[in-house]
Amino acid sequence: MAELTAAGPGPGARPPQPDAPGTPPALDVATVSKDFPILERRVNGHRLVYLDSASSSQKPRAVLEAMDNYYETTHANVHRGVYTIAEEATALFEEARAKVARFIGAAEPGEVVFAKNVTEAINLVSQSWGRRHLGQGDAVLLTHMEHHANIVPCHILAAERGFEVRWLPITDDGYLVLDDLDRLLDGVKLVAVTAISNVLGTANPVARIAAAAHAAGALVLADAAQHVPHLPTRVEDLGCDFLGFTGHKMLGPTGIGCLWARRRLLEEMPPFLGGGEMIRDVRLDGFEPTEVPWKFEAGTSPIAEAVGLGAAVDYLEALGMDAVRAHEIELTGYAMRVLRERHGDAIQIHGPADPHDRGGVISFCYKDIHPHDLSQVLDQSGVCVRASHHCAKPLMRRLGVGATARASVYVYNDESDIDVLSEALAEADALLG
Ligand SMILES: Cc1ncc(COP(=O)(O)O)c(C=O)c1O
């Protein structure tokens, strides 16, 4: 890859950093972690050290109680009944949508579509917008660091519609190569890019890519599964046209994700799934879909999950997303420093060296120990890290590995968790190295 020039962080490339003049208040991790009942657990005789939040985060009591309380006091189907609890359930469900919309800076709640997860949100774009707009002679631009959720829907549609799939390469230190972006954009109708890589941690310059894509007449889909939970997110600042994220990575429950897009775009898109809830009228000879966003929400919605996601948004807002971001920069920097100092050449950490250019994801290889073996040995010390291709097989091939181990941090982790990881790695080395 010697011919590739690093895009480097460069001006405008970095994600929003905590406001320079007023440093955000530090997270009080000791207090925060008390809100997460699961962290009281012991595993294999040790304190649970959960370092797999990039896969799925743990849930604070506020989220668990909001969902319990909903089921205990209010549950009924939404948008259907006219009796009191059905109306209350509908109000809670739509209130959650409004909270999510505010959290990402959407112009109005109607721009937020609830889906099962970010994977479904991306499939919605592909099957609805993509099927209508993409065909032979067109191209879609992806990057080498995409999650399968942002690749496979594109492959499925390309096989049907015959458009070209192009790839934005990466440098050896995990940045997108943007030098050739304008040429690659020629004929492209959609750019699908991860806002933060779930493997490399790289925080990509979505706004810069979106500006170039728009100039070339393309729309931009940002996979923000690792962005929305960890950084202040304003859709206007990112400049994208579609943004997908998933509730279970941001302290919320599984079973709910979101697609954001401007109303104008959503209105011209055909429905994705058909059934109840998404229609205005159904006749023997056809149907008429209802309005945005409900025309994309066929069937009974994930109501309790929306309530839980709303509570997760409340919780994150109370912490302050600037504080969350500052905490993760500091902790990721600490982890990379400590792991390199203690383990030297034995550990290879992938992705950008500067924690300001990445989220709280640290993927690594340790000597030639298989990541699965490593993860199992770490588990004996109560340490949870993911060992996998992380649903990013093209990236694994680019890195020349089959899998990596990945430690990822969130609001309930602190330096002591990294110290336990480092010590457990030394023990794994003694056993397997
Ligand atoms: C960047 C990225 N995109 C997409 C996904 C898929 O998330 P979900 O399984 O919730 O749809 C993940 C989760 O691992 C991810 O990290």
Side-chain angles (χ1 to χ4, degrees), residues 39 50 59 91 108 121 141 156 184 225 254 260 298 303 317 351 371 373 405:
L39 298 180
Y50 189 73
K59 320 302 170 198
E108 46 145 329
L141 182 62
I156 290 172
L184 279 169
T254 56
W260 166 86
I303 311 164
E317 279 183 335
D373 295 337

Side-chain angles (χ1 to χ4, degrees), residues 185-198:
L185 280 170
D186 187 33
V188 165
K189 281 203 170 158
L190 181 71
V191 179
V193 58
T194 183
I196 294 193
S197 163
N198 64 317

Side-chain angles (χ1 to χ4, degrees), residues 36 43 53 61 86 94 114 123 132 148 181 189 201 208 211 314 316 327 329 353 361 373 392 425:
F36 292 78
V43 173
S53 297
R61 209 169 267 110
E94 292 304 329
F114 284 134
N123 275 273
R132 176 163 285 186
H148 295 165
L181 180 59
K189 281 203 170 158
R208 182 168 155 196
D314 288 342
L316 285 170
H327 170 68
I329 291 173
V361 167
D373 295 337
L425 278 172

Side-chain angles (χ1 to χ4, degrees), residues 64 85 150 227 276 284 290 324 329 380:
L64 305 175
I85 63 168
N150 217 10
H227 192 287
L284 293 183
T290 189
V324 171
I329 291 173
Q380 295 311 305

